[in-house]
Amino acid sequence: MFKRILLILLFIVAAFGVWYLWQEEIVRRSADALPEQIVYGNGRIEADLVDVSAKYAGRVLQINVHEGDLVEPGQVLATLDTAELEATMAKAKAQLAEAIESLSETEAEIVRYEGELRLANQNLKRTEQLVRRNAASQEEFDTRKTQRDSAEAILKVAKAHKRTAERAIEAVEAEIRRIQTQIDDFTLRSTVSGRVLYRLAEEGEVVAAGGKVLTLLDLSDVYMEIFLPSSLTTQLSIHAEARIALDFAPQYTIPAEVTFVSPEAQFTPKQVETMKERDKLMFRVKVQIPRELVKKHIRRVKTGVRGVAYVRLDDSVEWPESLNRRFPEAVLADGNDESDNQ
C-alpha cells in the first residue's frame, strides 16, 4: 500500500515537472523569437488589498457579503450596533428642542423689552418738555431717565441671552452632526470595486476600534510585477506598451502598459527568477492591465495566476504575431479554448 502511494506521488511530481518544463520551453522559444527591443520577466497577477475596519468599537450586527462576493463602491458590507448612539441622538434632539424653545422665549422677551424701552423714551421726552415749562419737577425727570436706562439695560441682557441661546442651538446641532457621523461610520461600505477575500469577523462579535471586519481585493488595479536589469529599465518609459501571457494559456496575451518603474534596485524575489538572475540587482516594473478590460471581465479575474509580462522598449518595433493573439471572447466567457484572433 505504501509503495503504491509513493508511486502515485512520484507520478504527480514527474507530471508537474514535465508541465513546468513545457511552460519554460514555450517561454524560451517565444523569447528566442522576440526582437531585441521586447524584453520579458516572470511574475503573477496581483491586486491591492483593502481592509474594511471599524472606526469605533462595537458589536457586529450584520454582515451582508461572503468570501468571493463581488462588491461595488458605496455598497453596504456590514453594520455595527448603534443602539447606544441612537439613544444619545434622541437626547441631543431633545436638547435641541429645548434650546429652540428657550430662544423663542428670549425673542418674545426682547419684543416686550423693546416696547418698554420705547415707552420709557417717550415718557422721558414728555417729562423733559414739562420740565422746560416748569410743569414737572427735576426729580420726576430723573425718575423717568432712570426708568429709560433700566429698560435699555434689561434689553441688552435679553439680547445677550438670545445670543447665548443661538450658540447653544449651534452647539447642539454640531453634536447631532457628530453623532450622526459616528452612526454613519458604524455602517461599513466598500470604497473599491473588487472581491471579498477574507471575512474576519462574524455577526455578534465585538470588534475593537480599528478592528478588521473584511478584506477586499481591489480589482480596479490589476497588475503584474516583473524585474528587469538596469541596462533595460533605463530604456523603458512609463506607459510603454506591454503584453501579459498567463501560464494556463500561453498562446494568448492580455494588453497592458507599464505604470511604474522602481527608482531603487533590489534583489529579485526567489519566485520570479533563477538563482543566477537573483545574484543581480534588478528594478521592479509594474505592468498594469487596463481598468476597462478588467471591469468588462471582472467576474473572471483571479489573482495569483502566474505568467510572463513582455515589455516593448521601442514603440517603433512591431509586436510578433505570437504576442498579438488576444483572449477570445468565447474563452473569457465560457472557458473554451477556441481560436479567435482579435
Side-chain angles (χ1 to χ4, degrees), residues 16-32:
F16 176 78
V18 171
W19 175 84
Y20 180 80
L21 292 175
W22 176 69
Q23 295 291 335
E24 289 290 323
E25 181 64 17
I26 291 176
V27 173
R28 187 188 65 77
R29 290 182 180 180
S30 299
D32 292 341

Side-chain angles (χ1 to χ4, degrees), residues 3 6 79 86 106 137 143 170-171 174 182 198 222 229 261-262 267 271 284 305 321 330:
K3 291 182 178 180
L6 182 61
T79 54
E86 295 290 350
T106 302
S137 65
T143 300
E170 292 175 358
Q182 195 168 354
Y198 301 117
V222 179
V261 178
S262 175
F267 287 103
Q271 68 270 21
R284 180 168 57 91
V305 180
E321 182 62 28

Side-chain angles (χ1 to χ4, degrees), residues 38-56:
I38 296 180
V39 296
Y40 71 97
N42 299 317
R44 61 181 179 179
I45 298 296
E46 299 182 58
D48 294 331
L49 300 182
V50 178
D51 290 325
V52 179
S53 305
K55 187 175 180 179
Y56 305 100

Side-chain angles (χ1 to χ4, degrees), residues 312-323:
R312 189 168 63 177
L313 303 179
D314 188 350
D315 291 342
S316 63
V317 176
E318 295 291 334
W319 286 98
E321 182 62 28
S322 60
L323 296 182

